[in-house]
Every structure is written in C-alpha cells, then in structure tokens.
Amino acid sequence: MGILTLRGVTVRYGTTTVIDDLDWAVGAATAPVSALLGPSGCGKSTLLRAIAGLTSLSAGTVAWDGVDLAPVPVHRRDFGVVFQDGQLFSGRTVAANIAYGLARRRWPRTRISQRVEEMLELVQLPGIGERRVTALSGGQAQRVALARALAPRPRLLLLDEPLAALDARLREDLAFAIGDIVRAAETPTVVVTHDRAEAAMLADSISVMRAGEIVQTAPAQRLWHRPADDWVAGFLGASLIVDASVTGSVLHTPFGQAAAQAVEGLPAQGPCRVALRPESLWAAPAEAGRADGTITHAAVLPGGTRLRVATDAGEVEAMAAEPYAAGEPVRLRLDPRQIAVIGR
C-alpha cells in the first residue's frame, strides 16, 4: 500500500490563507480509510483538491511514496475522485460510465466488460449495466460513481462529501457499504465529511480539521474519549466542558462523582478537564426532596428523552430513559463511559 505524504502544504487565494503549513500522511496498512472531519469552510475540500492536483499549492509538497507530485498532471496521478453529486455522465448507461476511465487507458474491450461486471458486483449492483444513470436512485448513483472511480485500480481514492446529498438512513447504510467496498478493493482512501458519525462509520482514522490545519488524528474511539482541546471536544458533541479532579479512586465534577477507573485517560491524581455530552448525565426522579436540578426543556427522542436541567452549577444537557416535563425536579448521575478527558 502506497503512502501519501503532505509536508508544509499551504494554499492561498489572494491574501486569504485556506490551508496553513499542513503536514499529514495517509495510507498506513492499519488505517486504509482516513477521514478529514471538520466544519464547513475549514479547508477540507480545498485540501482534497490540492491532493488531486485540481488546486495549486502556494507552498509545501504532496508526495506519493516519497516522489513529489508537483510536476505530475491531474490525469497522471492515478487518483480516483468522487464528488458530492457523483458527476455521472447523464447521457450514458451505467456500464459506459464505469468503463469511461478504462477506455481512456485503452483497455481491451473484453477486459473492460469483465471489469465493469466485477465493479457492479463489488458495489452490490449486479445486472444494471444497461440502465441509464438518470433512472438510478441517489444511493445507486453514488455506488456507480464509486465503481467508476475504482475501476482503473487507482492508487488513492478521494471522496468529497460523498453522502451529503442523501437522506439520513441512506447515508448510514451507504457509509458502511463504502467502507467495506474500498477495503475490499484494497485502495487507500481519503473521505471528506462534516458529519462525525459518518466519519466513524467510514474511516479507520479520523483527522479533525480547523481553520486550515489538522488539530488531531486518531481512531474514533480515542477521539471521543481523548479530544485534544476544548474546541475538538465541542465539535465532537460535548455540550459542557468543566474543571474536575481525581482524589483517591473518585472523579469529582461540579455535577457529581464517578469511579475514576471507569473513565479513560484520567490522571492518577489531581486536576483535569473533562467534557460532558448529553449522554454523560442521566436523570432520575427526585427522591425524598433531594434534587440536583429542575428541568427547563424536554424533548422525547427515539433513544430517550433529551433534557435541559437548571442546577446550582449552571444549565446542563442530560438524557432520561422516561419522559419528563419542564418544571420537574430530578437527580443526576454521571455515566463514566461517556466522559471525555481533554488533552492527548
């Protein structure tokens, strides 16, 4: 498996710096699918286009297996690219779309036909080669775009928000499918997304991007439990970040205590900073006049009731297994499995 290496990559449009002195590497055998995760406007798509050669660098290098790609034109880089809308050729059949890159490379007709069938099997769309792409659903169209990009056996696949135009359930199903497909094809892949759940479903490693720089790279599990700083924790879903401390075997927070050994990444003793998601706090009915707060808002969701609770330490978001109404007093307990510790 080849390695893509970025060193000091900078992209400017006039006086505006979009990517700033960025270092990154993609293609490790342990993490064949890498996600670039960040908010809109942080430079993710610009970085992808720079890798593909569609956007010029202001400084730095993009290299493949140590060879600088600066003199290599886009069509010679042997990278497959899939954009948000797939950009299929509307006047052609599914088979003709998948065969496009193969024909340009002068593959023999019999080999092209065989490869098209192989790709349709890979993306789980056998037998639709003669269908017009205008007759495809959104999910089918993205699978065909993926098959077209993979057909010439690119050494790197670049996916730019490939699921953004699809509905929520289809995004989830296709995220798992795309991850399986590119791993089966043994193609190193970079996927750009602003959706943290999508990144976790697709990728082996996630790089969080902020304002033109990568601020943390880690597998999803470590990101959720050890965000690098307050901004990363908030972007990954933390609703509250608080100062805390470990004394003995107990984690102390303004919203209760938890067993320290159940929280990943805590110091042995002393101060720390933790991030709480709504799932970190669970509400239960007040007992014998003992309450930790009063509900100000409640919304019943499929996974439980989402609450906002006014406490002496401030308003917090919490979850409950049962429906509640505004004005009800509740007790709160920490779920240590859902507590993140700030810092690497």
Side-chain angles (χ1 to χ4, degrees):
M1 181 175 288
I3 300 294
L4 177 78
T5 307
L6 282 62
R7 291 285 180 263
V9 167
T10 300
V11 177
R12 299 187 186 93
Y13 296 129
T15 59
T16 302
T17 300
V18 180
I19 308 293
D20 187 21
D21 194 26
L22 183 145
D23 295 339
W24 197 41
V26 174
T30 55
V33 185
S34 300
L36 269 174
L37 173 66
S40 297
C42 72
K44 306 184 300 297
S45 293
T46 298
L47 182 58
L48 201 77
R49 292 177 63 85
I51 293 169
L54 298 168
T55 293
S56 299
L57 303 185
S58 302
T61 59
V62 175
W64 183 263
D65 281 347
V67 178
D68 187 2
L69 295 176
V72 182
V74 175
H75 66 283
R76 297 285 185 188
R77 294 195 179 193
D78 197 17
F79 294 168
V81 184
V82 177
F83 294 103
Q84 178 176 326
D85 60 3
Q87 296 187 347
L88 296 176
F89 304 121
S90 59
R92 302 189 184 197
T93 64
V94 168
N97 267 271
I98 297 173
Y100 178 78
L102 307 178
R104 289 180 62 88
R105 289 167 173 79
R106 302 183 183 280
W107 281 38
R109 285 187 180 182
T110 54
R111 186 67 188 99
I112 289 176
S113 296
Q114 182 182 358
R115 183 61 174 164
V116 168
E117 293 304 315
E118 289 173 358
M119 299 313 301
L120 287 172
E121 288 286 345
L122 181 64
V123 299
Q124 300 174 1
L125 292 174
I128 72 162
E130 296 309 309
R131 190 178 301 179
R132 291 283 173 178
V133 296
T134 51
L136 301 177
S137 68
Q140 289 173 327
Q142 282 301 78
R143 287 175 186 256
V144 171
L146 183 61
R148 184 178 65 182
L150 286 171
R153 296 192 177 92
R155 52 186 181 176
L156 179 70
L157 182 64
L158 305 172
L159 307 177
D160 190 3
E161 298 275 8
L163 308 179
L166 307 177
D167 63 65
R169 179 52 190 267
L170 186 55
R171 282 204 309 270
E172 182 175 315
D173 290 346
L174 200 52
F176 284 121
I178 288 175
D180 291 342
I181 289 165
V182 297
R183 291 183 188 93
E186 298 183 340
T187 304
T189 300
V190 176
V191 56
V192 161
T193 179
H194 63 274
D195 187 305
R196 57 184 184 269
E198 188 176 296
M201 288 185 282
L202 273 163
D204 306 292
S205 177
I206 301 172
S207 293
V208 180
M209 197 168 181
R210 173 183 62 202
E213 61 176 352
I214 290 175
V215 292
Q216 186 173 6
T217 297
Q221 176 76 1
R222 182 169 177 82
L223 279 182
W224 306 152
H225 290 284
R226 297 297 305 276
D229 57 29
D230 289 8
W231 182 90
V232 173
F235 178 69
L236 294 177
S239 54
L240 191 66
I241 297 170
V242 298
D243 291 321
S245 64
V246 179
T247 304
S249 60
V250 178
L251 170 67
H252 301 269
T253 82
F255 302 99
Q257 301 176 354
Q261 67 267 25
V263 182
E264 181 180 328
L266 284 174
Q269 296 289 310
C272 57
R273 195 161 172 79
V274 298
L276 305 179
R277 306 179 184 90
E279 299 82 7
S280 305
L281 283 165
W282 283 82
E287 299 175 352
R290 297 175 59 193
D292 297 313
T294 302
I295 296 170
T296 60
H297 298 85
V300 179
L301 304 175
T305 303
R306 180 86 166 258
L307 306 174
R308 287 190 176 180
V309 182
T311 76
D312 291 342
E315 189 171 76
V316 298
E317 294 190 31
M319 297 295 296
E322 302 294 333
Y324 282 90
E328 290 189 62
V330 290
R331 300 207 66 185
L332 296 173
R333 66 172 179 82
L334 286 167
D335 182 348
R337 298 167 300 176
Q338 298 294 337
I339 298 174
V341 180
I342 305 293
R344 298 179 191 275

